[in-house]
Amino acid sequence: MKKVFVLLGLATLVSCGKSGGGGGPVSPQESPVSFTLSATNQSVSLSGSFPVTVTLTSAMPGQGIRITTALVDQSTNLALPQGSPLESKATANQVSLTGLPEQHWCLATVTVTSVATATNSSSQSFTVVYK
Protein backbone atom coordinates (compact mmCIF):
# COMPACT_ATOMS: atom_id res chain seq x y z
CA MET A 1 0.00 0.00 0.00
CA LYS A 2 2.87 2.36 0.81
CA LYS A 3 4.25 1.82 -2.70
CA VAL A 4 0.97 2.97 -4.24
CA PHE A 5 0.99 6.22 -2.24
CA VAL A 6 4.65 6.86 -3.06
CA LEU A 7 4.02 6.28 -6.77
CA LEU A 8 0.89 8.43 -6.67
CA GLY A 9 2.81 11.20 -4.90
CA LEU A 10 5.64 11.08 -7.45
CA ALA A 11 3.17 11.18 -10.34
CA THR A 12 1.53 14.26 -8.83
CA LEU A 13 4.88 16.03 -8.39
CA VAL A 14 5.95 15.27 -11.95
CA SER A 15 2.65 16.43 -13.45
CA CYS A 16 2.69 19.67 -11.41
CA GLY A 17 6.25 20.44 -12.49
CA LYS A 18 5.34 20.08 -16.17
CA SER A 19 2.26 22.30 -15.99
CA GLY A 20 4.30 25.49 -15.66
CA GLY A 21 1.85 26.78 -13.05
CA GLY A 22 3.96 26.45 -9.92
CA GLY A 23 7.41 25.49 -11.10
CA GLY A 24 8.80 29.04 -11.30
CA PRO A 25 9.12 31.43 -14.25
CA VAL A 26 9.32 29.92 -17.71
CA SER A 27 11.45 31.91 -20.14
CA PRO A 28 10.12 31.93 -23.72
CA GLN A 29 12.33 30.55 -26.51
CA GLU A 30 13.78 33.23 -28.79
CA SER A 31 13.30 32.89 -32.51
CA PRO A 32 16.55 32.19 -34.36
CA VAL A 33 18.17 35.48 -35.44
CA SER A 34 17.97 36.16 -39.17
CA PHE A 35 18.70 39.30 -41.16
CA THR A 36 19.37 40.80 -44.59
CA LEU A 37 22.15 43.13 -45.75
CA SER A 38 22.01 46.01 -48.21
CA ALA A 39 25.40 44.89 -49.61
CA THR A 40 26.10 42.08 -52.06
CA ASN A 41 29.19 40.20 -53.20
CA GLN A 42 31.58 42.36 -55.25
CA SER A 43 30.32 45.62 -53.77
CA VAL A 44 32.28 48.73 -54.78
CA SER A 45 33.08 51.62 -52.45
CA LEU A 46 34.19 55.03 -53.69
CA SER A 47 35.90 55.81 -50.38
CA GLY A 48 37.70 54.10 -47.52
CA SER A 49 34.41 53.37 -45.75
CA PHE A 50 31.35 51.46 -46.84
CA PRO A 51 27.89 51.83 -45.25
CA VAL A 52 25.73 48.73 -44.84
CA THR A 53 22.14 48.47 -43.66
CA VAL A 54 21.43 45.43 -41.47
CA THR A 55 17.72 44.58 -41.36
CA LEU A 56 16.46 42.06 -38.82
CA THR A 57 13.92 39.72 -40.47
CA SER A 58 13.23 37.55 -37.42
CA ALA A 59 11.45 38.54 -34.23
CA MET A 60 13.46 40.98 -32.12
CA PRO A 61 14.95 39.24 -29.05
CA GLY A 62 13.64 40.75 -25.82
CA GLN A 63 16.93 42.44 -24.86
CA GLY A 64 17.81 43.44 -28.43
CA ILE A 65 20.63 42.52 -30.79
CA ARG A 66 24.37 43.07 -31.04
CA ILE A 67 25.86 43.71 -34.51
CA THR A 68 29.57 43.14 -35.08
CA THR A 69 31.58 43.64 -38.25
CA ALA A 70 34.84 42.07 -39.35
CA LEU A 71 36.94 42.90 -42.39
CA VAL A 72 39.84 40.90 -43.87
CA ASP A 73 42.07 42.14 -46.71
CA GLN A 74 42.09 39.24 -49.16
CA SER A 75 45.46 40.28 -50.66
CA THR A 76 47.35 40.21 -47.36
CA ASN A 77 44.99 38.06 -45.28
CA LEU A 78 45.19 40.69 -42.51
CA ALA A 79 42.22 41.56 -40.30
CA LEU A 80 41.39 45.26 -40.48
CA PRO A 81 40.15 46.70 -37.15
CA GLN A 82 36.51 47.76 -37.06
CA GLY A 83 34.51 49.74 -34.55
CA SER A 84 32.81 48.49 -31.40
CA PRO A 85 29.72 46.31 -31.71
CA LEU A 86 26.39 48.09 -32.01
CA GLU A 87 23.61 47.13 -29.60
CA SER A 88 20.12 47.97 -30.78
CA LYS A 89 16.40 47.23 -30.54
CA ALA A 90 15.72 48.71 -34.00
CA THR A 91 14.82 46.49 -36.94
CA ALA A 92 17.01 48.41 -39.43
CA ASN A 93 20.52 49.50 -38.42
CA GLN A 94 23.29 51.30 -40.31
CA VAL A 95 26.86 50.10 -39.77
CA SER A 96 29.98 51.23 -41.58
CA LEU A 97 33.02 49.25 -42.62
CA THR A 98 36.10 51.45 -42.22
CA GLY A 99 39.73 51.38 -43.27
CA LEU A 100 39.17 49.81 -46.68
CA PRO A 101 42.54 49.65 -48.51
CA GLU A 102 42.53 50.93 -52.09
CA GLN A 103 42.39 48.34 -54.85
CA HIS A 104 42.23 45.36 -52.46
CA TRP A 105 39.25 43.05 -52.27
CA CYS A 106 38.14 42.56 -48.69
CA LEU A 107 35.89 39.97 -47.12
CA ALA A 108 33.35 41.61 -44.81
CA THR A 109 31.43 39.58 -42.24
CA VAL A 110 28.42 40.92 -40.34
CA THR A 111 27.25 38.98 -37.29
CA VAL A 112 23.96 39.59 -35.48
CA THR A 113 23.60 38.07 -32.02
CA SER A 114 20.89 38.17 -29.38
CA VAL A 115 22.11 40.29 -26.45
CA ALA A 116 20.58 37.81 -23.99
CA THR A 117 21.54 34.55 -25.73
CA ALA A 118 25.04 34.46 -27.23
CA THR A 119 24.32 31.18 -29.01
CA ASN A 120 21.43 32.78 -30.94
CA SER A 121 23.59 34.23 -33.68
CA SER A 122 23.80 34.45 -37.46
CA SER A 123 26.51 35.71 -39.86
CA GLN A 124 26.66 36.78 -43.49
CA SER A 125 29.71 37.68 -45.59
CA PHE A 126 30.32 39.59 -48.81
CA THR A 127 33.27 41.05 -50.71
CA VAL A 128 33.93 44.77 -51.16
CA VAL A 129 36.63 46.83 -52.85
CA TYR A 130 37.61 50.52 -52.57
CA LYS A 131 38.25 51.77 -56.12
Side-chain angles (χ1 to χ4, degrees):
M1 191 67 156
K2 286 184 181 180
K3 287 182 181 178
V4 172
F5 287 117
V6 170
L7 289 175
L8 195 56
L10 286 174
T12 303
L13 285 174
V14 169
S15 67
C16 287
K18 289 185 179 179
S19 72
V26 176
S27 60
Q29 275 288 42
E30 290 181 343
S31 297
V33 169
S34 62
F35 64 98
T36 59
L37 297 174
S38 62
T40 60
N41 252 349
Q42 299 182 352
S43 292
V44 176
S45 179
L46 301 177
S47 71
S49 64
F50 186 70
V52 178
T53 302
V54 179
T55 305
L56 189 69
T57 56
S58 61
M60 177 66 69
Q63 292 183 23
I65 57 174
R66 179 177 297 115
I67 303 169
T68 57
T69 55
L71 192 64
V72 176
D73 184 328
Q74 291 187 310
S75 298
T76 63
N77 208 31
L78 292 176
L80 304 171
Q82 297 302 298
S84 297
L86 169 69
E87 288 193 7
S88 176
K89 287 190 175 185
T91 301
N93 296 277
Q94 185 86 17
V95 296
S96 188
L97 300 169
T98 59
L100 291 169
E102 285 189 81
Q103 304 300 317
H104 287 215
W105 282 101
C106 292
L107 179 65
T109 301
V110 177
T111 303
V112 177
T113 306
S114 164
V115 169
T117 311
T119 56
N120 187 4
S121 184
S122 181
S123 295
Q124 295 183 36
S125 297
F126 62 94
T127 53
V128 61
V129 67
Y130 167 23
K131 287 199 170 191

